[in-house]
Amino acid sequence: MPTGASDGIATAYAEAWSIYGGERMSTGTVGQIVEYKNGSTDGTYILEDDRSCKAAQLTAIRIERLVEEYISDYQHIAVYETAYHGKMLVLDGIVQMTTNDEFCYHEMIVHVPATVIGPEPKTALVVGGGDGGVVNQMCKIASLEKIVWIDIDSDVVRICRQHLPELHEHHDQRVEFIAMDGADIEFDREFDLIVVDGTDPLEDKASLWSQRFYSRLARAVKHEGVVTALAGWAWPEPDMYLAIRDLSHAFFDHSRYYWFLDPSMRYGYTGVFLMTNSKVDPTVPAHLDRVPQDSMRYYNPGIHSAAFVQPTCFTSGTPFAPGSME
């Protein structure tokens, strides 16, 4: 078993430090760095922990070295070189993305809405997404003339530009970056396409998971526009999913959950809510010409439609581990 991990899991707020390869590494306020000894899997791993201490499953990713860490005004930021996942962004000890599989998430949260919206999208808003991956995919949509990118922490953007350049490869002059809390947006029917790529809604990062924000989000999108937002897991840990489902139903006429493989994330998949006030069928990618298929590594029309099909366990209400979750 991972040595030194049990105390850290029981005390999720504690900082975890380790000396490895002559460097002092930390994970910030949560998460643990542990040494694992089991033959071929020997190594140093970051064990993600989301502070709740109720998770049915945690994610551990093998790391080689710390590339950079920085404490901003908002959070602890760390970039690691991993053994198999490429570079990895970790915020307050929680894994955000890895360069070897980021395309799964970023392609699906951007190109699913882009191919179903009726009018050709001209304006887009990205809230969050400090790693730059959502904007990178947005910039592949030729019809977009303006992309407003809002993130509360400009230091995340700065560090990712330096260490994760592949997520900024397609950024261009259409992008306007504004450092501010996305919950404070004040737009009136300005955007055809909006993507909300926020962090997990922990107690100090919950502004993007509030009625206040969703009311402003609903006002910012055009009447025929489409919004997508990170929505967590419908199963087996549905708290985040259920909370966002309720918000989406409260502020949009139509809301649909879709999901897809995301290997570095807990449970191996990620879910997204697609929200709109139009009657468009989100399961049909009616405008595939908007997606440069030769640059897609995950998205295709078949996976688009299949993503809206939910396994029975997602909607059955049967818990993954009876009695383990409140």
Side-chain angles (χ1 to χ4, degrees):
M1 65 176 292
T3 58
S6 58
D7 289 343
I9 296 172
T11 311
Y13 284 90
E15 286 192 329
W17 300 90
S18 175
I19 301 297
Y20 180 67
E23 294 181 280
R24 187 169 179 82
M25 299 190 295
S26 79
T27 64
T29 56
V30 292
Q32 312 298 323
I33 290 181
V34 298
E35 293 292 334
Y36 190 87
K37 301 294 182 183
N38 189 28
S40 62
T41 57
D42 284 3
T44 302
Y45 291 76
I46 182 168
L47 183 68
E48 180 187 274
D49 193 321
D50 69 355
R51 304 184 187 183
S52 72
C53 297
K54 296 188 298 181
Q57 184 173 320
L58 297 178
T59 298
I61 294 179
R62 186 169 173 176
I63 58 177
E64 296 294 331
R65 68 183 182 92
L66 175 66
V67 176
E68 182 176 348
E69 68 172 344
Y70 183 83
I71 300 176
S72 74
D73 291 338
Y74 303 98
Q75 58 202 329
H76 180 280
I77 307 163
V79 175
Y80 294 93
E81 186 70 53
T82 73
Y84 302 104
H85 294 75
K87 288 192 175 72
M88 175 173 65
L89 175 65
V90 179
L91 300 180
D92 279 346
I94 297 179
V95 175
Q96 303 298 309
M97 50 73 60
T98 67
T99 55
N100 282 6
D101 62 21
E102 55 80 21
F103 59 90
C104 302
Y105 171 70
H106 290 134
E107 288 181 12
M108 289 295 284
I109 201 170
V110 170
H111 298 298
V112 168
T115 57
V116 303
I117 185 174
E120 189 173 53
K122 300 291 186 181
T123 56
L125 171 67
V126 177
V127 181
D131 55 47
V134 166
V135 173
N136 208 40
Q137 294 298 328
M138 286 276 195
C139 288
K140 296 179 182 180
I141 302 173
S143 66
L144 284 177
E145 299 172 354
K146 179 182 180 181
I147 302 168
V148 177
W149 179 17
I150 291 173
D151 194 282
I152 196 171
D153 197 341
S154 60
D155 287 312
V156 173
V157 176
R158 172 183 58 80
I159 288 171
C160 289
R161 279 176 176 159
Q162 178 180 356
H163 298 297
L164 309 173
E166 55 270 77
L167 272 67
H168 297 258
E169 179 182 1
H170 298 283
H171 289 215
D172 56 34
Q173 71 282 354
R174 293 174 293 172
V175 179
E176 176 189 1
F177 176 73
I178 304 172
M180 62 174 282
D181 188 342
D184 295 331
I185 59 173
E186 290 283 358
F187 299 108
D188 188 11
R189 309 298 176 200
E190 292 189 34
F191 299 103
D192 301 301
L193 178 61
I194 300 178
V195 173
V196 182
D197 182 19
T199 57
D200 290 355
L202 304 176
E203 63 276 2
D204 58 346
K205 296 181 179 180
S207 64
L208 298 186
W209 318 108
S210 64
Q211 290 190 2
R212 176 175 178 269
F213 172 60
Y214 266 69
S215 66
R216 295 182 179 213
L217 192 63
R219 191 166 70 246
V221 69
K222 294 180 180 179
H223 290 291
E224 297 298 313
V226 175
V227 179
T228 52
L230 180 66
W233 308 279
W235 182 85
E237 191 179 332
D239 290 353
M240 177 179 172
Y241 157 79
L242 292 172
I244 300 171
R245 183 197 64 181
D246 291 346
L247 283 171
S248 66
H249 287 170
F251 291 97
F252 293 91
D253 293 339
H254 306 285
S255 176
R256 289 287 300 273
Y257 181 80
Y258 66 98
W259 66 288
F260 43 87
L261 294 177
D262 198 351
S264 296
M265 296 298 102
R266 190 187 309 157
Y267 310 124
Y269 80 96
T270 289
V272 168
F273 271 108
L274 185 148
M275 299 163 282
T276 182
N277 292 316
S278 71
K279 294 183 179 181
V280 65
D281 184 351
T283 70
V284 178
H287 304 284
L288 280 172
D289 57 300
R290 297 172 184 166
V291 178
Q293 293 292 332
D294 57 348
S295 72
M296 295 293 102
R297 300 175 63 192
Y298 189 92
Y299 179 88
N300 60 55
I303 208 73
H304 177 129
S305 297
F308 287 90
V309 179
Q310 296 188 32
T312 303
C313 60
F314 278 24
T315 57
S316 67
T318 303
F320 176 71
S324 66
M325 307 292 286
E326 295 181 1

